[in-house]
């Protein structure tokens, strides 16, 4: 029998791009996880807003098992039933008329940005400029880190692709200045996620819509984290008055099974032709079957109303904790997606708080050094929520000392 692997094996065998916490999680059910030693944790991170239906959801297990016994992979020389069935549902439920599948958020944005460039160049060779926002996050491929508004992710790796302009998020005057005839696309998160749960203002989104329309550029909404029920709507654009030309989705789409998708209109999508872009695994039958099962649960008005109700309950509780202990100055949220701004006495200690929380049996996220991020599953029970909040509060008490 081989010895169980341990955290030290990470340092020994893994490329050091991550610095994981000490414990190794081995099992999950609902919003609870267990480590190798049998200690339990309340999941307030959902694998970074991915496991939206919790762990071991029976409908997802059933879909995965059924598809696993039928067909795993056929390549894109063929299409397949789960891919078509999910695409039809995504188009029926949204503005979109066409879907491109891939395996992650970054790949969905890569497809969106390439498509927008292709459409721009089809119209004029100089129509290549992409407008993006400081503080935004769009993934880790070289194109997407370059478009993302956090230079730390693209620096130290040589020249970045040209034709990308960054301005401040929610700065209406700046976007009026930079969007012009050379703009092929504007890419924006409707709520900045990694950068701190910062919502776009309605006027800002409307300005982006008006200016891109006036200059025949595409408006891309990166809904990789905000989509699939997270904000209490199927996609967050449905909470706004603005409809994008391209929407990218991933994280919660497969409930934990890797899948990404780019949704768009036929006018935009038809600028790609066979061979313009591709993916070996995109549209994989296992991924699409699981995502369809997740979609069927989430795309339901009763379910989404439940998300909004749980969100209000959690927001009130987090505000009360902030007030009792002076640990938070503000609780921002969009559905079950919270950014708790740390008090100045706790400046730059979000990472420490996440680690302490894990020690207390609650798994949380950060969004920058001063924001504690909480993203529960969308089906967290009141009992799980209360237990997680109790452990979070204990952590706050320890932090403020
Ligand atoms: C997570 C995230 C991405 C990148 O997704 P990956 O699956 O890690 O490639 C892109 N955009 C946003 C808004 C995200 O939150």
């Amino acid at each position: 029998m081989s010895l169980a692997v341990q955290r030290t094996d990470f340092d020994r065998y893994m490329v050091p791009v991550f610095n994981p916490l000490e414990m190794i999680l081995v099992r999950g059910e609902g919003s609870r996880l267990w480590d190798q030693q049998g200690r339990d944790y309340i999941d307030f991170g959902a694998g970074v807003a991915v496991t939206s239906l919790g762990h071991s959801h029976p409908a997802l297990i059933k879909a995965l098992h059924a598809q696993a016994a039928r067909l795993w992979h056929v390549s894109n020389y063929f299409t397949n039933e789960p891919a078509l069935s999910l695409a039809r549902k995504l188009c029926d439920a949204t503005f979109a008329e066409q879907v491109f599948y891939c395996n992650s958020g970054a790949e969905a944005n890569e497809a969106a940005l390439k498509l927008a460039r292709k459409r721009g160049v089809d119209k004029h060779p100089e129509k290549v400029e992409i407008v993006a926002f400081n503080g935004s996050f769009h993934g880790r491929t070289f194109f997407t880190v370059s478009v993302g508004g956090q230079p730390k992710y693209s620096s130290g790796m040589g020249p970045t692709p040209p034709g990308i302009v960054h301005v401040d998020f929610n700065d209406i005057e700046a976007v009026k200045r930079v969007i012009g005839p050379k703009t092929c696309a504007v890419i924006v998160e409707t709520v900045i996620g990694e950068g701190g749960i910062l919502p776009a203002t309605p006027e800002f989104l409307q300005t982006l819509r008006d200016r891109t329309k006036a200059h025949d550029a595409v408006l891309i909404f990166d809904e990789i984290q905000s989509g699939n029920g997270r904000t209490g709507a199927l996609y967050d654009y449905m909470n706004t008055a603005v409809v994008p030309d391209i929407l990218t989705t991933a994280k919660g789409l497969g409930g934990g099974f890797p899948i990404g998708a780019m949704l768009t209109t036929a006018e935009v999508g038809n600028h790609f032709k066979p061979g313009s872009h591709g993916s070996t695994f995109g549209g994989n039958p296992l991924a699409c079957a699981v995502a369809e099962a997740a979609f069927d649960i989430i795309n339901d008005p009763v379910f989404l109303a439940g998300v909004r109700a749980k969100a209000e309950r959690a927001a009130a509780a987090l505000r009360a904790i902030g007030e009792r202990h002076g640990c938070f100055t503000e609780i921002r949220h969009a559905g079950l997606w919270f950014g708790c701004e740390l008090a100045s006495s706790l400046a730059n200690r979000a990472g420490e708080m996440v680690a302490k929380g894990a020690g207390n049996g609650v798994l949380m996220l950060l969004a920058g050094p001063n924001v504690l991020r909480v993203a529960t599953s969308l089906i967290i029970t009141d009992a799980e929520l209360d237990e997680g909040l109790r452990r979070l509060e204990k952590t706050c008490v320890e932090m403020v000392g």
Side-chain angles (χ1 to χ4, degrees):
M1 203 178 80
S2 66
L3 287 169
V5 290
Q6 301 173 28
R7 172 63 177 77
T8 48
D9 290 315
F10 185 92
D11 298 330
R12 169 71 182 77
Y13 295 110
M14 304 289 278
V15 173
V17 293
F18 300 110
N19 184 20
L21 294 175
E22 280 303 315
M23 74 287 195
I24 296 182
L25 301 167
V26 295
R27 190 167 72 83
E29 204 181 304
S31 289
R32 224 175 260 267
L33 287 153
W34 288 268
D35 70 12
Q36 287 176 318
Q37 279 72 39
R39 282 183 296 243
D40 80 292
Y41 302 85
I42 298 292
D43 189 1
F44 271 14
V48 193
V50 167
T51 49
S52 292
L53 297 177
H55 301 277
S56 308
H57 192 291
L60 303 196
I61 292 175
K62 186 166 168 238
L64 182 63
H65 283 175
Q67 190 58 40
R70 282 174 67 84
L71 187 67
W72 285 29
H73 177 84
V74 289
S75 89
N76 284 304
Y77 287 97
F78 310 91
T79 188
N80 67 77
E81 289 178 350
L84 294 175
S85 182
L86 176 62
R88 187 160 66 188
K89 288 183 181 180
L90 288 168
C91 289
D92 283 350
T94 67
F95 73 95
E97 296 162 323
Q98 297 182 353
V99 175
F100 172 80
Y101 289 119
C102 49
N103 313 288
S104 67
E107 283 177 67
N109 282 338
E110 187 80 20
L113 295 166
K114 281 178 70 177
L115 175 59
R117 277 274 178 92
K118 179 74 169 54
R119 178 179 176 277
V121 171
D122 283 348
K123 288 170 187 271
H124 191 282
E126 285 180 32
K127 194 172 178 61
V128 296
E129 247 171 48
I130 294 162
V131 173
F133 299 98
N134 295 324
S136 60
F137 181 74
H138 298 303
R140 296 297 204 126
T141 67
F142 209 65
F143 201 177
T144 56
V145 281
S146 307
V147 170
Q150 302 188 55
K152 66 178 178 199
Y153 292 136
S154 57
S155 64
M157 295 175 186
T160 55
I164 301 163
V165 181
H166 290 103
V167 293
D168 282 345
F169 185 67
N170 278 338
D171 185 338
I172 290 173
E173 292 315 310
V175 297
K176 284 184 179 166
R177 200 170 60 240
V178 296
I179 299 173
K182 288 187 178 173
T183 308
C184 70
V186 174
I187 182 167
V188 68
E189 294 168 82
T190 53
V191 178
I192 286 191
E194 300 299 309
I197 319 297
L198 303 164
T201 63
E203 305 75 47
F204 178 66
L205 291 180
Q206 194 59 54
T207 306
L208 296 182
R209 183 64 286 177
D210 295 344
R211 289 293 155 143
T212 48
K213 197 159 260 164
H215 291 289
D216 196 15
V218 298
L219 180 57
I220 304 169
F221 278 1
D222 178 344
E223 289 227 33
I224 288 160
Q225 195 160 163
S226 63
N228 305 296
R230 176 59 50 194
T231 67
L234 178 62
Y235 288 102
D236 190 43
Y237 84 86
M238 295 168 177
N239 290 322
T240 77
V242 173
V243 177
D245 304 298
I246 299 179
L247 181 151
T248 52
T249 172
K251 290 203 167 83
L253 181 61
F257 202 99
I259 179 171
M262 174 186 73
L263 279 49
T264 189
T265 63
E267 181 273 310
V268 174
N270 286 338
H271 283 272
F272 269 174
K273 302 282 180 266
S276 301
H277 192 54
S279 166
T280 295
F281 292 120
N284 172 273
L286 289 169
C288 292
V290 176
E292 183 173 348
F295 181 90
D296 286 343
I297 293 169
I298 293 169
N299 185 37
D300 167 4
V302 176
F303 179 91
L304 293 169
V307 172
R308 296 192 294 274
K310 287 176 200 297
E312 290 313 319
R313 191 168 177 279
L318 287 167
R319 287 200 182 98
I321 290 172
E323 280 161 22
R324 277 199 291 277
H325 307 291
C327 43
F328 307 132
T329 53
E330 186 187 21
I331 307 292
R332 294 185 291 272
H333 84 107
L336 281 167
W337 197 26
F338 304 89
C340 311
E341 190 81 38
L342 297 189
S344 56
S345 58
L346 300 178
N348 297 315
R349 291 175 67 192
E352 185 191 335
M353 195 159 178
V354 168
K356 264 200 167 55
N360 287 327
V362 59
L363 305 181
M364 305 176 290
L365 307 164
L366 49 78
N370 292 306
V371 177
L372 184 76
R373 178 171 32 149
V374 170
T376 67
S377 93
L378 307 182
I379 58 166
I380 190 166
T381 64
D382 286 353
E384 289 163 335
L385 184 63
D386 289 345
E387 180 60 23
L389 288 165
R390 204 182 60 71
R391 296 177 187 189
L392 187 158
E393 182 161 14
K394 180 167 183 248
T395 308
C396 287
V397 169
E398 289 172 15
M399 290 291 292
V400 296

